[in-house]
Amino acid sequence: MSYTPEEKEKAPVAEIEHLEHAGPIPGPSTHHHAHKQMVMVDERLAGALAVDKPNPWGSGYLQLYLASFIVFFCSTMTGYDGALLSSINALPNYTAYYGLPASGNTSTGIVFAIFNVGSMVGSFMMFLADWLGRRWAMAIGCAGVIVGTCITSTARTLPVFIGGRFLLSFFGTIASTAAPCYMIEISPSLYSGTVSGLYNTLFYFGSILASTSVYGAHVHMGDSTQTDWRLPLWLQMACPAIVLVFIWFCPESPRWLIGVGREAEARAMLVKYHANGDEHHPLVQLTMKEMREALVREGPLNWAKFFDWRPLFNTPGRRFRMLVGIAFAWFGQFSGQNIAVYYLPKLLQNIGVTDTTKQLEYNIIYNVLGYVVSTVGARFHDILGRRTMFLISCTGMIISLSIVAGTAADFLNTGSQTASKACIAFAYGLGCSYAWAFTSMHPIYPGEVMSNDMRAKGMCLCGIVAGAGSFVSVFAAPTAMNNIRYWFYAFFAFWDVFEWLFAAHGETELEEIFNSPNPAKASVNFVRIEVGDAEKEKQETV
């Protein structure tokens, strides 16, 4: 089931959470009843919008966009770290200072992969988002990142540097897992996919900031001192500092407010930001009704409930939700893209590009391309749907990784410069293919397919899985790229074929679909609703 892009078409889970079935998988009659319920919900939403569709450029929406922009910096600080380590790892004075070989070894892998260990541990702190609220969780996380930055920027030994990176990741994960929940819960229904999807595209903005700062410091300060790599480390605190200062001017999640019994504040938030100040707008009434129903069904939020994970798996629909969420959490970190994100300079070195300045320039181009493609892709999720977007991304990654492997092998055997240039081009193709769908939806999609009471603990579990996937690929990469070289790229090409097959048969979104006898098949049946200024049209397609 899907919707037109005008009417909250591809990610309406938050709007129809009350269709959660607590019993076994419904049979044909109950499935038909659920279908009728879904159509009624769709008609109510369409009716509310037909009466008075909120102006997306009204004062409330503009303030909501500004709040979203502040939260986007949680993604930016994550992207900054990835490109920062990739860039400074290409600097001879950095590797020499900590005794790391230029070709990379297990220690190099630990410096990168410790971030994923911190991410997995930090995921367990997601209960803070249910206990204190989404804003407090982001603030605590960003404050910790600033502390970790101070440690890494002044570290004299490699163990201290690694310890600082663990703290960076631990606290960064608290912020970067609360932020997607927050974005899902505050986004207006009509633009949920676009606004929340834009969140992780700012990962590349952080990558651009990091790679350009390292490049500028290297070019203008040279490699005779430590400044060209310590200065970019200090700049890592800029993004979390922005969030820490300005998050208090952003509204709290209405779904969290409802969950802790602050209904008046939740309603005020919806009136101000979703209805541009119109407290009688039918969209406010509809959303409040749905959130009250969710509260009755799920009970109030509290930190103790976070540690009861039975609600994640106690119905067939919820088990299928978690299967999809966990799978895409792993896919988002284990699709081969980390080869380019973290080790592009090493890939370039293997195909004959040994000049440090040139490697940094290629790194900047990679991040700029990823930013552009991921930003465009964020909008297309609401137009093409999640499944189609994931399939396009997987297809592009399969083709790109196959050619990267082939051209890298050709260069190794013949020294062909044509093969080297083609390898670089398709390494960019790999990054762009990943950015098209996975960058914008990787942190959002697992939370999007979960109901309100599942979201925090479900995102915790998905964060652990994503951290594990990234740890394996990042830790193994230096050794694999030294020993098996192009076969490492070929491995991920074959793995992405599996991802394509899973996306083709397993990805889905809505509650009725999750609880249907065949969720994958049910997701290709859809109700289409179109709301104009003066008329509403509904068309059912089977």
Side-chain angles (χ1 to χ4, degrees):
M1 184 174 295
S2 62
Y3 300 74
T4 60
E6 290 75 18
E7 304 301 336
K8 183 58 183 73
E9 60 289 43
K10 301 299 181 184
V13 171
E15 305 303 328
I16 47 82
E17 288 175 344
H18 64 278
L19 292 181
E20 176 76 29
H21 295 284
I25 298 177
S29 61
T30 55
H31 179 73
H32 177 68
H33 176 66
H35 177 79
K36 291 171 65 178
Q37 284 183 298
M38 181 70 72
V39 173
M40 290 174 61
V41 173
D42 293 335
E43 289 177 335
R44 283 160 48 193
L45 178 59
L49 296 170
V51 171
D52 181 13
K53 184 176 179 179
N55 178 11
W57 302 111
S59 61
Y61 274 65
L62 291 177
Q63 292 177 67
L64 193 60
Y65 300 151
L66 181 59
S68 300
F69 179 72
I70 298 302
V71 176
F72 287 167
F73 280 98
C74 289
S75 178
T76 303
M77 71 180 184
T78 304
Y80 189 99
D81 183 88
L84 175 65
L85 264 292
S86 173
S87 296
I88 67 173
N89 197 53
L91 301 179
N93 53 335
Y94 159 76
T95 55
Y97 185 86
Y98 288 123
L100 299 170
S103 59
N105 63 359
T106 302
S107 295
T108 304
I110 291 175
V111 171
F112 282 94
I114 194 66
F115 196 86
N116 306 120
V117 176
S119 176
M120 288 185 282
V121 178
S123 295
F124 286 103
M125 300 301 292
M126 190 58 190
F127 75 90
L128 293 173
D130 277 354
W131 178 29
L132 301 174
R134 311 318 192 202
R135 294 189 305 171
W136 265 105
M138 286 185 278
I140 292 171
C142 289
V145 170
I146 293 173
V147 173
T149 297
C150 293
I151 294 174
T152 57
S153 302
T154 57
R156 301 289 183 183
T157 64
L158 185 61
V160 174
F161 185 77
I162 292 174
R165 284 190 50 71
F166 175 86
L167 289 178
L168 275 170
S169 176
F170 175 81
F171 285 104
T173 299
I174 297 174
S176 61
T177 50
C181 287
Y182 179 83
M183 292 304 307
I184 292 168
E185 293 169 355
I186 71 163
S187 296
S189 300
L190 291 175
Y191 311 104
S192 175
T194 301
V195 175
S196 59
L198 282 171
Y199 167 78
N200 207 44
T201 65
L202 270 290
F203 177 96
Y204 281 107
F205 183 63
S207 298
I208 294 169
L209 291 177
S211 55
T212 52
S213 66
V214 174
Y215 176 78
H218 174 71
V219 170
H220 295 289
M221 299 176 182
D223 54 9
S224 58
T225 67
Q226 302 170 24
T227 309
D228 65 337
W229 59 274
R230 287 210 185 266
L231 178 60
L233 286 173
W234 279 111
L235 293 176
Q236 192 166 9
M237 70 170 60
C239 292
I242 291 173
V243 177
L244 186 59
V245 171
F246 291 103
I247 192 62
W248 310 112
F249 298 96
C250 301
E252 183 55 272
S253 159
R255 294 188 178 273
W256 181 80
L257 291 170
I258 282 283
V260 295
R262 294 158 62 177
E263 182 172 318
E265 293 176 61
R267 179 181 174 81
M269 185 275 175
L270 293 173
V271 169
K272 180 177 181 179
Y273 295 99
H274 284 200
N276 291 318
D278 181 1
E279 62 178 299
H280 301 295
H281 196 287
L283 188 61
V284 175
Q285 318 303 326
L286 176 61
T287 306
M288 287 297 297
K289 182 177 185 297
E290 290 169 347
M291 291 195 298
R292 290 189 191 106
E293 290 172 349
L295 180 62
V296 170
R297 183 184 69 251
E298 300 162 2
L301 287 175
N302 61 68
W303 67 271
K305 279 188 174 181
F306 178 83
F307 297 98
D308 179 9
W309 285 22
R310 288 175 298 178
L312 298 182
F313 306 100
N314 61 5
T315 70
R318 290 183 170 221
R319 288 192 288 273
F320 192 79
R321 286 175 184 262
M322 291 310 303
L323 170 64
V324 173
I326 288 172
F328 278 92
W330 180 273
F331 294 165
Q333 296 294 344
F334 199 80
S335 297
Q337 84 287 351
N338 281 335
I339 296 171
V341 171
Y342 292 105
Y343 295 109
L344 183 61
K346 177 61 181 174
L347 184 153
L348 294 171
Q349 188 180 62
N350 284 347
I351 56 174
V353 182
T354 56
D355 180 69
T356 300
T357 302
K358 203 70 176 175
Q359 291 176 358
L360 295 176
E361 290 172 351
Y362 279 124
N363 213 20
I364 293 173
I365 295 171
Y366 174 86
N367 291 318
V368 171
L369 285 173
Y371 185 37
V372 172
V373 174
S374 63
T375 303
V376 174
R379 178 60 188 134
F380 274 86
H381 277 285
D382 276 351
I383 297 174
L384 300 179
R386 311 298 194 249
R387 174 181 301 192
T388 300
M389 292 290 289
F390 286 136
L391 290 176
I392 293 172
S393 267
C394 288
T395 301
M397 289 190 293
I398 292 167
I399 294 171
S400 297
L401 280 164
S402 299
I403 296 177
V404 166
T407 51
D410 187 25
F411 176 83
L412 184 65
N413 294 324
T414 67
S416 168
Q417 288 302 306
T418 301
S420 176
K421 293 176 181 177
C423 187
I424 295 171
F426 280 94
Y428 287 158
L430 167 63
C432 290
S433 297
Y434 179 86
W436 170 250
F438 279 88
T439 292
S440 55
M441 291 310 298
H442 170 240
I444 298 294
Y445 185 76
E448 190 180 62
V449 301
M450 299 174 194
S451 60
N452 198 43
D453 63 325
M454 296 174 65
R455 192 164 292 126
K457 63 192 74 175
M459 291 290 279
C460 168
L461 181 56
C462 289
I464 295 169
V465 172
S470 185
F471 177 86
V472 172
S473 63
V474 171
F475 179 73
T479 303
M481 293 174 77
N482 280 335
N483 296 335
I484 62 175
R485 301 201 176 188
Y486 53 85
W487 286 110
F488 189 51
Y489 317 139
F491 163 78
F492 279 109
F494 284 108
W495 173 259
D496 288 345
V497 171
F498 169 75
E499 290 189 7
W500 190 99
L501 293 172
F502 186 94
H505 297 287
E507 185 272 326
T508 186
E509 295 162 304
L510 305 182
E511 183 61 40
E512 180 188 356
I513 297 171
F514 281 121
N515 283 318
S516 69
N518 188 335
K521 181 178 180 181
S523 68
V524 300
N525 301 327
F526 65 95
V527 171
R528 181 180 301 267
I529 298 175
E530 297 180 355
V531 179
D533 294 333
E535 63 179 355
K536 176 182 69 176
E537 177 184 359
K538 182 187 74 177
Q539 175 184 359
E540 179 177 351
T541 302
V542 178

